[in-house]
Amino acid sequence: MTAEARTNPTDSAPEFWTRRRGLALLVAILLAYFAPVVFLGHVIYPHDNAVESGASREPGHVESEYRSTHRLDDQSTAYIPELAHALADDHESWIATWNPHNQLGRPLMQHFATGRAWIVGNAVSMFTRDPFRFYSWMALLAVSGAALAAYGFLTERALHPLAALVGALSLSVGPFAVGWQTLPMLPWDFCWVFGVLWGIERYLRRPSVWNRGAIVFAVHSLLLSGYPQHTMMLGWSIAGFVLWRVWKEREGLAVRAGAVAALAGLAVVGFVASLPVLADLYTELSRSVRADVTDELALAAVTKVMEPRDLWLSLLRSYDIFVGGHPYSPDFSRWLGIFRGYLFSPFYVGLLFLAPLVVKQRRDAPWWMACFLLAMVANHSAAFYQLGVDWLGLSFSDLPPIAGALLPAAVLSALVTDALLRGALPKWSPFLAAVPAVLCLVWVQQLGVELDRFYMGLAAAAGIGACVFAYKPRCWTLLPFALLVVFHHGRSLLVTRPRAEISTDSALVRDLRDRLADGSRFAWIGPRKGFLLNPNQEMLFGLASIHSYYSLQDRGFAHWAAKLGGNLEAGYNRRFLNVAGTAIVAQGELVDANVTHYLSTVPLGKAMGVEVARFGPVRVTEAERSGNGATLLPQGEFFYDSSVGYQFEPGLLRDRSKSIALDRGRTDQLVAESCEPGLLIVSAAYHPNWRAVVDGRPSEVIAIGESLFGSPALALLGVRVERGPARVEFRYEPAVRYAWIPQLAFVLFGAAAVFSCLRRRASSPG
């Protein structure tokens, strides 16, 4: 065992700063940071949702006095709506699995910590079913968990408690994690990666069943709550660090190989525990256009450096984008580009410039330095990042490579702080810490742009703070500048407001809810009106439409949306916002999709139906109804073709079919009573996880697509009724229904760990 590993975390620390006191200070900082959520009951949400619901145009509406932004639209268009449906009690299974509100229906998102499939989400759901509070508590847990896990790992690595505190704060409540408050998977990545590292560190020193279980749980949680591309980036960092630690902690090739195999086995167990969710995720990915994207999607995230100015801008953004003003302010200098949270801040960049000095003192420093530099080079070189795309699997999304530099940067800043506090760096260190501040002035001069004087002053103060701390490494020169970054830059990005201020209703929403009560859908015809009724918010409002915002858009629906003239997002194809025009509606495909109402900003004409309501610029047109979304095509009106399935004339479904009463009381279960012999077709999207039962007997679910939409890829649910009258039941049965099994296993393991701990304390002397 190395001397570095044997050192007690507090052996050389001043008597006051013990590990426990550092932890207490960290908890106090987190409580102060999230005070609006913890003490005032606020929720994390970027705006009052009045524009989305339509309430902003109603008389008496008052603009929110809290900071608002529509830049953070993932939360309002993806996670909160998904949670609203996931936390509702309108499903047959113990967990919500099917979303009937968007597209023609689609699986509910279970990964990314958005529901009850993960034990942490399931536990939080026991205390609240409000999606806004659920999300806020989960975001708080993610950020706090990242801070605590980082602190635990860094102190386990024998760092000074204040150094561990600095590293934990930079990653958890710094500008990046909070700037992505609408993407909680990124903080969860940090939380569970540090959890894995912490567990492995303890395992290598003293293996036990408890730290083995902790590693399994951390891997399991990382897979269910993290962002896949980011998880992959950090996963390579973990793998290299673990191999290095095993090499240092174990002697002999066989012993080292055994330790690596044991840790790999624990990772496999964590993976197996995640299979109920990952199996469904694999099914969705295999059916999605996301699986067909080229490397261009990932390479688009690389900063294009065509001239020196591009590089200077990129480095200045990473140093402190706030020099252009607050990113959420209308006065923010757009020449700096769009704020994406990827900045290290002047104080921490000053510390990073001292990292080469600790390479010889800390044997793990070279690895973290290499990870940091590789990520930074990849962020500015498409040719270099192509290697990661080809060989490391970094092709899932357009997440910038700089995201992989943040965790190594946090560890390096902690290593440098530790070295300074222990007096292990040369006296000329302050001059090196001043280099990034000088470079910033040079960049600004070269760019010749205007800056926000207030924020430039803060950047200068933080940059000087790194020099002051390097010159006089004490608690009172460290904490003020570290907390300046945390509470001014990071805290100002935390957008909270009272829950009562958020609008989830309006006259337009109530009108549509009444008109679509039978399970029918609406569609936007022509240009949309801003953020009004953004796709996915139908889940929040209790409506249904054919529109969508979903990263795993299946190929069939994407093909159909393109045919309708939808403005599909390049690369992802995840947004379907509107139908191009009335000529497409006349083809009848929207009728087959059970669309009974059209929204538009211009008159659609009598041929489209009757205009029944108007809300400001939005017109509601009611089309001729063809039933309630379930129709029975009589025997003799269809035939079976082995190459494309069941066939019939498209017009027959509207002209010769019989409307069937359909019970939609449960979102994962559809029931039709008293069906005569024929072909029953339900206006819900076909999916391989649907099952059909006719009069208590399992029956084949038929994909009805070619005759309706011109493509077998997009299909509705169908089943053949041989004898009648019959009761037909469709059930959606994905693998995630078995997620309760690993949850129960972790609960039992946790209970055993607590019991063992209490038993040891009771039996210990004194």
Side-chain angles (χ1 to χ4, degrees):
M1 186 177 289
T2 65
E4 179 183 286
R6 287 193 301 267
T7 304
N8 185 283
T10 58
D11 280 349
S12 56
E15 183 179 351
F16 179 79
W17 286 110
T18 62
R19 191 170 181 173
R20 289 186 177 181
R21 285 177 175 167
L23 177 61
L25 178 58
L26 177 59
V27 172
I29 291 172
L30 291 172
L31 287 174
Y33 194 90
F34 287 105
V37 177
V38 176
F39 301 113
L40 300 181
H42 285 194
V43 296
I44 299 173
Y45 201 69
H47 47 75
D48 62 6
N49 215 54
V51 174
E52 282 74 4
S53 68
S56 62
R57 296 181 176 273
E58 295 182 351
H61 173 71
V62 179
E63 291 292 329
S64 173
E65 62 182 22
Y66 293 88
R67 188 189 296 275
S68 299
T69 176
H70 273 84
R71 188 194 72 83
L72 308 172
D73 67 341
D74 278 340
Q75 183 181 4
S76 58
T77 57
Y79 303 110
I80 290 294
E82 293 278 344
L83 286 172
H85 187 58
L87 298 174
D89 292 321
D90 56 355
H91 43 87
E92 185 67 21
S93 177
W94 71 274
I95 184 172
T97 55
W98 184 256
N99 165 23
H101 300 279
N102 297 99
Q103 301 180 191
L104 301 180
R106 64 166 174 81
L108 192 66
M109 191 163 62
Q110 303 290 353
H111 45 294
F112 303 158
T114 52
R116 301 174 62 197
W118 180 37
I119 188 172
V120 177
N122 201 6
V124 173
S125 73
M126 296 178 183
F127 297 93
T128 181
R129 291 303 179 97
D130 181 275
F132 298 94
R133 298 200 183 281
F134 181 98
Y135 181 95
S136 300
W137 294 357
M138 291 291 281
L140 187 153
L141 288 175
V143 171
S144 301
L148 297 173
Y151 183 83
F153 167 69
L154 294 172
T155 52
E156 195 70 32
R157 291 291 300 141
L159 267 65
H160 188 293
L162 286 181
L165 178 72
V166 166
L169 290 177
S170 70
L171 201 64
S172 59
V173 289
F176 173 75
V178 183
W180 282 106
Q181 62 190 284
T182 62
L183 204 68
M185 299 92 75
L186 299 176
W188 278 126
D189 269 324
F190 293 138
C191 172
W192 298 116
V193 164
F194 273 121
V196 170
L197 291 172
W198 189 8
I200 289 174
E201 193 69 26
R202 295 183 66 87
Y203 171 82
L204 290 176
R205 296 183 181 183
R206 187 178 179 182
S208 72
V209 66
W210 308 121
N211 51 45
R212 287 186 179 94
I215 294 172
V216 169
F217 181 74
V219 171
H220 165 79
S221 297
L222 180 62
L223 294 174
L224 294 195
S225 62
Y227 190 72
Q229 180 97 341
H230 195 219
T231 301
M232 186 69 73
M233 288 179 179
L234 300 182
W236 290 110
S237 299
I238 294 177
F241 178 79
V242 168
L243 290 175
W244 174 82
R245 288 293 293 126
V246 170
W247 184 267
K248 293 298 181 182
E249 288 286 339
R250 299 290 188 265
E251 296 181 359
L253 183 60
V255 175
R256 289 166 177 163
V260 171
L263 291 172
L266 295 176
V268 170
V269 175
F271 173 81
V272 171
S274 308
L275 279 179
V277 175
L278 297 183
D280 288 337
L281 182 59
Y282 176 78
T283 300
E284 292 310 297
L285 182 61
S286 64
R287 303 177 74 241
S288 169
V289 291
R290 188 71 170 269
D292 304 329
V293 297
T294 64
D295 293 349
E296 295 302 318
L297 174 64
L299 295 177
V302 176
T303 301
K304 293 179 175 60
V305 181
M306 308 300 294
E307 56 181 348
R309 176 186 174 89
D310 298 329
L311 181 60
W312 294 333
L313 271 174
S314 176
L315 294 176
L316 184 58
R317 283 194 295 266
S318 302
Y319 182 71
D320 191 0
I321 198 173
F322 278 77
V323 296
H326 195 283
Y328 297 164
S329 170
D331 300 326
F332 176 68
S333 298
R334 297 300 174 186
W335 55 266
L336 274 173
I338 300 174
F339 172 69
R340 298 189 182 278
Y342 302 102
L343 72 153
F344 302 101
S345 76
F347 179 75
Y348 285 98
V349 173
L351 296 180
L352 287 175
F353 264 68
L354 301 179
L357 303 181
V358 303
V359 168
K360 292 184 178 180
Q361 302 176 27
R362 299 286 309 196
R363 295 179 180 177
D364 52 348
W367 173 252
W368 297 115
M369 178 72 76
C371 292
F372 173 77
L373 293 176
L374 289 173
M376 292 301 292
V377 172
N379 196 64
H380 298 91
S381 171
F384 185 75
Y385 190 49
Q386 181 73 61
L387 297 175
V389 173
D390 292 339
W391 298 99
L392 302 181
L394 304 180
S395 58
F396 296 136
S397 76
D398 57 353
L399 185 73
I402 194 175
L406 295 166
L407 186 143
V411 176
L412 287 171
S413 65
L415 296 177
V416 170
T417 303
D418 177 77
L420 287 170
L421 289 171
R422 299 186 191 279
L425 294 189
K427 293 183 178 180
W428 49 267
S429 298
F431 298 100
L432 186 57
V435 170
V438 175
L439 289 176
C440 177
L441 293 176
V442 174
W443 293 334
V444 170
Q445 186 178 15
Q446 292 289 333
L447 293 171
V449 294
E450 275 191 38
L451 297 176
D452 185 290
R453 293 184 179 180
F454 173 74
Y455 284 100
M456 191 62 189
L458 285 178
I464 293 172
C467 304
V468 172
F469 174 62
Y471 175 73
K472 197 76 170 178
R474 298 289 186 272
C475 168
W476 56 271
T477 60
L478 171 64
L479 290 179
F481 296 109
L483 295 181
L484 172 67
V485 175
V486 167
F487 277 94
H488 192 276
H489 282 23
R491 179 64 183 82
S492 68
L493 296 172
L494 186 65
V495 185
T496 66
R497 63 194 68 251
R499 169 64 180 89
E501 185 186 270
I502 300 174
S503 171
T504 57
D505 202 8
S506 69
L508 171 61
V509 168
R510 289 190 295 272
D511 182 80
L512 285 176
R513 193 183 295 132
D514 291 339
R515 297 180 187 278
L516 305 176
D518 60 353
S520 56
R521 303 181 174 97
F522 75 85
W524 276 96
I525 308 297
R528 294 180 65 96
K529 191 64 179 177
F531 296 100
L532 180 62
L533 297 184
N534 250 357
N536 276 12
Q537 286 238 336
E538 294 91 339
M539 286 184 274
L540 190 60
F541 300 146
L543 305 175
S545 81
I546 60 170
H547 304 296
S548 178
Y549 177 82
Y550 187 48
S551 294
L552 297 181
Q553 201 83 270
D554 69 80
R555 295 183 184 90
F557 184 81
H559 169 83
W560 186 59
K563 182 180 177 182
L564 294 177
N567 182 23
L568 290 177
E569 186 177 8
Y572 282 104
N573 288 292
R574 58 183 174 182
R575 297 180 192 264
F576 172 42
L577 302 177
N578 59 286
V579 178
T582 58
I584 295 175
V585 180
Q587 297 176 12
E589 293 189 11
L590 294 185
V591 177
D592 294 336
N594 199 27
V595 174
T596 61
H597 289 78
Y598 308 125
L599 303 186
S600 65
T601 56
V602 297
L604 296 182
K606 294 183 179 179
M608 295 294 297
V610 180
E611 186 174 306
V612 293
R614 186 170 180 178
F615 300 89
V618 179
R619 301 167 184 264
V620 181
T621 301
E622 184 173 4
E624 181 181 351
R625 292 177 177 267
S626 61
N628 70 339
T631 54
L632 185 71
L633 200 59
Q635 299 277 24
E637 300 292 354
F638 56 89
F639 65 94
Y640 180 78
D641 186 321
S642 59
S643 61
V644 293
Y646 284 85
Q647 294 288 288
F648 51 86
E649 292 296 325
L652 290 179
L653 194 62
R654 296 183 290 276
D655 302 333
R656 303 285 295 277
S657 63
K658 176 183 177 183
S659 178
I660 300 295
L662 190 68
D663 181 0
R664 300 175 182 268
R666 297 295 183 184
T667 57
D668 55 356
Q669 185 182 66
L670 303 171
V671 180
E673 303 283 357
S674 304
C675 290
E676 298 297 329
L679 184 63
L680 177 65
I681 302 173
V682 177
S683 64
Y686 170 83
H687 190 281
N689 286 333
W690 278 107
R691 304 289 182 263
V693 177
V694 179
D695 276 342
R697 295 186 300 273
S699 186
E700 178 189 5
V701 177
I702 303 169
I704 309 296
E706 183 72 34
S707 296
L708 294 177
F709 306 111
S711 169
L714 178 68
L716 298 183
L717 286 177
V719 68
R720 182 78 180 269
V721 180
E722 301 287 351
R723 296 183 298 274
R727 183 181 190 272
V728 179
E729 181 180 346
F730 291 97
R731 301 170 184 166
Y732 185 68
E733 299 181 351
V736 74
R737 295 181 307 136
Y738 300 102
W740 64 269
I741 297 176
Q743 290 190 23
L744 178 60
F746 285 124
V747 168
L748 294 177
F749 180 85
V754 171
F755 176 77
S756 175
C757 180
L758 294 176
R759 187 176 180 180
R760 284 200 306 272
R761 286 190 177 185
S763 60
S764 61

